[in-house]
Every structure is written in C-alpha cells, then in structure tokens.
Amino acid sequence: MGLPRNPCWFIPLFLFILTILELTPLSQSATDYTTLVYKGCAKQALSDPTGVYSQALSSLFGTLISQSSKSKFFKTTSGNGQTTITGLFQCRGDLSNVDCYNCVSKLPILIDKLCSKVIAARIQLFGCYMLYEVSGFVQISGMEMLYKSCSGKNVGGAGFEERRDTALTSLENGMSSGNGFYTTSYEAVYVLGQCEGDVGASDCVECVKSAVQRAQVECGSSIGGQIYLHKCFIGYSYYPNGVPKRSSSGSFSSPSSSGNNYFSLWPGPNTGKTVAIILGGAAGVGFVVICLLFARGLLKKKDGKQENMFLF
C-alpha cells in the first residue's frame, strides 16, 4: 500500500508532534521553586470549638499572602489575648516579587493539607517558607537544626572538600554585610545562605557559621548539601562544568539528588524547552523534506512513467 499522493498529509502529524513536545516535560533540570523541602507540624492539636482560632489563622494567612507581593519577609500577629497567633513568611533573596507571591500563596493550603489544625506549623518550600505559632507555644533555639539533605558520594576529585570549605568560609564572611542573604562561588562550588528577616547581623553570622559546621560534619564528602536551622539556612552545590549563569526564568533546580550527582541551587537553563525546540525544528525540517520528496515523485510520474524508482 503506497503513501498518500498529497504531500501535505504530514501537517496534522507535524502539529501533533509539536503539541506533544510543548506539553511533555523532557527535563527536570529547572524545576519549580515551590517544591516541598520539609514540613514541621506540632504534635498538639488546636482546640477550636468556637472557631476563633480558625478565624484568626485565616486573617493571618491573608495578610501574609498580600504582603508577599511587596516584600521578601513579613511578620505579624492576628487575634487577641490567648487567641493571638504569630506568623511570618520569607522568600529566598533571589526571588522576584512575583515569584515570591506565587510561592507564598501556596503555603496556607499546604499547611492545612500536611499539618491540619495544630498549635504551630512550618512549611519550607525550595523558594520560601511560612510558619505560625499560637500564643504560649514553647520557643526553640534559633540554632536548632530542622532539616538536612546531603547528596551522593564525592565525585568532585581530590581537593574537593578544601574547595567547598573555602567557598563556605567566603559565605560566612559575606553574611557579615548585614543583608541577610548572600551567594558566592569558588572553583565550581556555589554556596548561598539566608537568615530570617528579623535576625540581627551578628546573630545571623553566628547562625550561618553553625550551619556551615553542621554541613561539614553531617554531609562529610558529599558534593551538595543543605542545612536548615530555625533562624537560617545554607546550601552548597558542585557544578563540574562551572557554575551556570543567572537565569531570569525564576525557577530553581530541585533539591532532590535523584538522577544527579549534585544539588543545583542556581536557576539554570530550561533544558526541557531547549530540547523541545531542537526536536520541533528537526520535525519541521523533516516535514519540508518529505513534501519535497513527494512533489518530486509526482513530477517524475507525470513526466516519465517508465521510471520505476525515485532518485533522491
């Protein structure tokens, strides 16, 4: 059975291929900054027979979300007396206001889903976090470790730990500037650190130093790691091909080490989109070639039916 004489039969198939390429995520190298890192839920349930706490909590969430379009950090209270609830949000220092809002707006839903109604909760996403505490909740030390994540074995070669430690030392020094957020790199090792917005400069430096020490001990020779303390967090990542340039996409690579040998803490190129463009272009070229071949074949049949084959 021969192919259709009309060379344009390929158009619907071509459009279908482009649609699949556009909708299918071919790579996860630049995943969303709303990826869940960890959750912290108090064990004590929130007793709320009159609904007064729910009302205060709803008001608190509304205020935090509205402020996230204007600021990277905001702390406030809601309710009165024993029903007072304190809450805050913070976005990574390298997120835009729009991305900060998009990140923070997802947190109240996640808090309700992952923690339900408890007297205190904290949800950390890759680009932001939110927490709330009912009045009287026992405070914890700002240096207490909440979460750690370390990548696989060291494939950075000899001297990697020295390069990492030099980068982390530069991070400690950079945090003394008082901005509360700092990033730097040293010989393919990228590091970042951030303190909670209401932490003073000196306390911030001490918190980051504590996190660095924990990273060196807890992660050992791992070529990527993240340490989250109550009042600050740090992360480091090894890029064997060099630290990528800043992307304006606003997306951040996943903290998961699945399928990779290193944590990616820097917004990188959208590889999936690039691959789709390349394949789409190849499909377009294929479409043109096929149309030309069919057209040539039809001309051959018309001008000389004695020929039994196509000449390519």
Side-chain angles (χ1 to χ4, degrees):
M1 181 178 179
L3 292 171
R5 290 179 177 272
N6 184 359
C8 293
W9 65 270
F10 189 72
I11 290 178
L13 179 59
F14 173 64
L15 294 176
F16 175 76
I17 292 173
L18 286 183
T19 301
I20 294 299
L21 291 173
E22 182 69 23
L23 296 178
T24 303
L26 299 178
S27 171
Q28 295 183 350
S29 64
T31 53
D32 197 0
Y33 46 78
T34 58
T35 300
L36 177 67
V37 177
Y38 71 87
K39 65 174 183 177
C41 311
K43 295 181 179 179
Q44 184 178 345
L46 182 61
S47 178
D48 189 26
T50 62
V52 63
Y53 282 112
S54 296
Q55 184 177 356
L57 198 56
S58 178
S59 176
L60 177 73
F61 288 155
T63 300
L64 293 177
I65 290 175
S66 66
Q67 290 295 322
S68 65
S69 64
K70 311 170 187 176
S71 173
K72 303 290 179 64
F73 172 81
F74 190 77
K75 185 175 184 179
T76 188
T77 59
S78 180
N80 298 293
Q82 295 299 315
T83 63
T84 299
I85 302 177
T86 300
L88 63 84
F89 77 83
Q90 183 162 28
C91 292
R92 277 179 48 154
D94 46 3
L95 256 66
S96 67
N97 287 340
V98 172
D99 290 336
C100 181
Y101 173 82
N102 290 336
C103 189
V104 171
S105 62
K106 298 180 183 301
L107 289 167
I109 298 174
L110 288 173
I111 287 175
D112 183 65
K113 179 180 179 181
L114 299 176
C115 294
S116 191
K117 295 295 187 293
V118 291
I119 62 173
R122 175 172 178 149
I123 299 295
Q124 175 79 54
L125 304 184
F126 199 46
C128 65
Y129 69 90
M130 180 182 289
L131 66 85
Y132 76 84
E133 301 170 347
V134 173
S135 177
F137 181 75
V138 178
Q139 299 295 308
I140 62 175
S141 168
M143 302 293 185
E144 182 171 335
M145 187 166 70
L146 303 178
Y147 179 81
K148 72 171 182 178
S149 185
C150 307
S151 71
K153 62 181 181 180
N154 179 4
V155 295
F160 166 74
E161 291 185 39
E162 288 76 10
R163 298 198 303 273
R164 178 204 62 189
D165 291 347
T166 299
L168 290 173
T169 299
S170 297
L171 175 65
E172 293 178 3
N173 295 333
M175 294 301 293
S176 63
S177 64
N179 293 328
F181 178 80
Y182 187 77
T183 66
T184 189
S185 61
Y186 176 78
E187 293 189 4
V189 180
Y190 174 72
V191 293
L192 65 82
Q194 185 169 22
C195 292
E196 194 168 285
D198 56 352
V199 175
S202 60
D203 289 337
C204 177
V205 172
E206 291 304 313
C207 188
V208 167
K209 285 183 177 180
S210 178
V212 166
Q213 292 171 0
R214 288 177 179 267
Q216 292 168 328
V217 173
E218 299 287 346
C219 292
S221 61
S222 296
I223 58 172
Q226 297 173 81
I227 300 294
Y228 290 85
L229 305 186
H230 181 48
K231 292 292 184 178
C232 68
F233 75 90
I234 66 147
Y236 71 91
S237 179
Y238 171 63
Y239 293 87
N241 297 320
V243 177
K245 295 180 180 179
R246 175 181 290 273
S247 168
S248 60
S249 65
S251 58
F252 292 86
S253 299
S254 171
S256 171
S257 60
S258 176
N260 298 297
N261 291 322
Y262 56 93
F263 287 123
S264 187
L265 298 172
W266 188 271
N270 193 334
T271 306
K273 188 172 183 179
T274 302
V275 172
I277 291 173
I278 293 173
L279 293 180
V285 173
F287 164 69
V288 173
V289 171
I290 289 179
C291 282
L292 289 174
L293 292 177
F294 268 95
R296 184 173 184 178
L298 291 174
L299 289 174
K300 285 286 184 180
K301 285 187 176 182
K302 182 177 180 180
D303 295 336
K305 293 185 178 180
Q306 70 278 12
E307 293 187 12
N308 295 320
M309 62 182 179
F310 291 105
L311 298 177
F312 297 105

